[in-house]
Amino acid sequence: MQRIQLPTDRITDWKSFHSVFAEVMGFPTFYGRNLDAWIDCMSDLTQTDRGMTKVQIQKGEALLLEIVSAGAFKKRLPEIFDALLECTIAVNRRFLEANEPPVISLVFL
């Protein structure tokens, strides 16, 4: 199981949301910087041959995404916080539809 901390203090808007995730997750340079592209990259956590993220987990494992200062993040940027939840659900749903366990667990710190 891998743990990745999301430094929410560096997220101030949508542009910085995508920049922080691109850095923390190691998204490719052609990352589209929109929520559909985010879902696509995060859906490839177990696909080591695609290069959509440098963070890799084995099939059946989970990624613990630690949301640092989650309460302050939600209060400061509720739309982005809610989108992160919804997009994480979308990624996990993709895995469930492929008869695999969900891969992302959000941990609110």
Side-chain angles (χ1 to χ4, degrees):
M1 181 177 313
Q2 282 205 49
R3 299 177 94 136
I4 300 290
Q5 283 197 342
L6 182 66
T8 61
D9 60 323
R10 293 177 40 208
I11 299 174
T12 58
D13 54 18
W14 283 109
K15 182 178 178 181
S16 60
F17 171 86
H18 291 291
S19 293
V20 168
F21 263 99
E23 177 187 325
V24 169
M25 297 301 298
F27 291 166
T29 56
F30 59 85
Y31 169 57
R33 296 181 176 273
N34 61 61
L35 294 178
D36 288 334
W38 187 93
I39 291 169
D40 289 343
C41 287
M42 296 297 281
S43 293
D44 276 356
L45 288 167
T46 61
Q47 303 296 323
T48 58
D49 59 335
R50 294 188 189 171
M52 297 302 287
T53 175
K54 290 182 181 167
V55 174
Q56 297 288 299
I57 58 174
Q58 298 298 315
K59 288 190 183 233
E61 289 186 332
L63 170 69
L64 294 180
L65 185 56
E66 298 177 343
I67 312 302
V68 177
S69 301
F73 178 46
K74 181 178 180 177
K75 184 176 181 180
R76 192 168 39 86
L77 297 165
E79 180 183 354
I80 294 175
F81 181 89
D82 289 345
L84 173 60
L85 296 180
E86 291 299 318
C87 289
T88 300
I89 291 168
V91 170
N92 284 336
R93 186 176 301 124
R94 281 186 176 183
F95 280 86
L96 289 170
E97 289 170 355
N99 294 317
E100 295 181 28
V103 294
I104 303 173
S105 295
L106 299 179
V107 178
F108 301 106
L109 304 175

